[in-house]
Amino acid sequence: IIRSKYFNEFADNSFENYSHAQIKNGLLVLINEYSTLQQTNNELRLVLKDVESNKIIGGCTLREIKLETYSNVELAYFVCEEYRNHGECTKMISNVIKMLIESNIKIYVVKLLIREYNYASIEVAKKLCFKEVREIQGKECKNILFERVICKDI
């Protein structure tokens, strides 16, 4: 899966030229580091499943950025290629936003960082009322930071 087209399309690093052993070793290091990071960062990972086939077709990660009593969260997501352009990403992000608004968690802003040429994700962000904030230079290209305020009473 890590060498799949949909995974590498918007990743900062491509895994196509790595051997199976190199990928396995890198993932083991990442898993070991993740268990250490788990103690200091609040992160929520969700999967998106196709109801009929029960196949995982996408997912998202919410990572907290603490600001005194309120938090900002960064939302990262993916949808497998064959399920793109069917509204799955829009529904997933919309449901995550709804869950955050209805929860007791004090979240002020949800942030999306999208590559400048990922036009589908840019359209999803705009459709879901995210505002373009600024461009940020990444390793390979410019990224666009989008934000949506979900709690107005700070």
Side-chain angles (χ1 to χ4, degrees):
I1 192 167
I2 205 161
R3 292 187 188 179
S4 301
K5 181 181 174 192
Y6 65 82
F7 185 86
N8 281 299
E9 186 175 2
F10 299 109
D12 280 336
N13 296 305
S14 173
F15 295 95
E16 293 171 344
N17 298 325
Y18 289 91
S19 70
H20 179 74
Q22 288 172 311
I23 293 173
K24 182 179 178 183
N25 188 40
L27 288 172
L28 288 173
V29 169
L30 182 64
I31 289 167
N32 289 332
E33 286 179 9
Y34 182 74
S35 64
T36 305
L37 293 173
Q38 193 77 11
Q39 298 166 4
T40 57
N41 290 338
N42 293 323
E43 192 171 271
L44 174 65
R45 295 177 182 217
L46 304 169
V47 295
L48 177 63
K49 284 188 172 184
D50 179 43
V51 178
E52 293 176 13
S53 68
N54 206 30
K55 178 181 174 184
I56 294 175
I57 62 170
C60 69
T61 300
L62 286 164
R63 187 176 19 189
E64 180 182 37
I65 305 164
K66 200 82 165 142
L67 292 175
E68 297 176 19
T69 57
Y70 281 80
S71 297
N72 288 344
V73 292
E74 180 183 1
L75 175 61
Y77 56 89
F78 76 96
V79 175
C80 296
E81 186 175 20
E82 61 267 29
Y83 292 91
R84 292 181 187 165
N85 300 315
H86 293 74
E88 299 298 336
C89 189
T90 303
K91 285 188 279 186
M92 175 175 58
I93 295 172
S94 179
N95 284 331
V96 168
I97 297 290
K98 181 180 177 188
M99 174 202 62
L100 292 172
I101 290 170
E102 292 175 354
S103 74
N104 292 329
I105 304 168
K106 293 183 176 184
I107 295 183
Y108 179 62
V109 173
V110 177
K111 299 175 180 252
L112 304 174
L113 192 60
I114 303 172
R115 288 196 169 193
E116 68 179 346
Y117 55 80
N118 188 344
Y119 304 115
S121 283
I122 291 169
E123 287 304 310
V124 169
K126 290 177 179 178
K127 186 187 303 184
L128 295 175
C129 302
F130 282 83
K131 303 294 183 221
E132 186 174 330
V133 176
R134 69 177 191 267
E135 289 184 353
I136 300 171
Q137 184 61 47
K139 289 180 182 177
E140 297 178 15
C141 69
K142 289 181 185 171
N143 298 295
I144 303 170
L145 177 64
F146 286 87
E147 294 182 351
R148 178 172 167 186
V149 174
I150 63 170
C151 178
K152 297 181 186 212
D153 58 325
I154 283 195

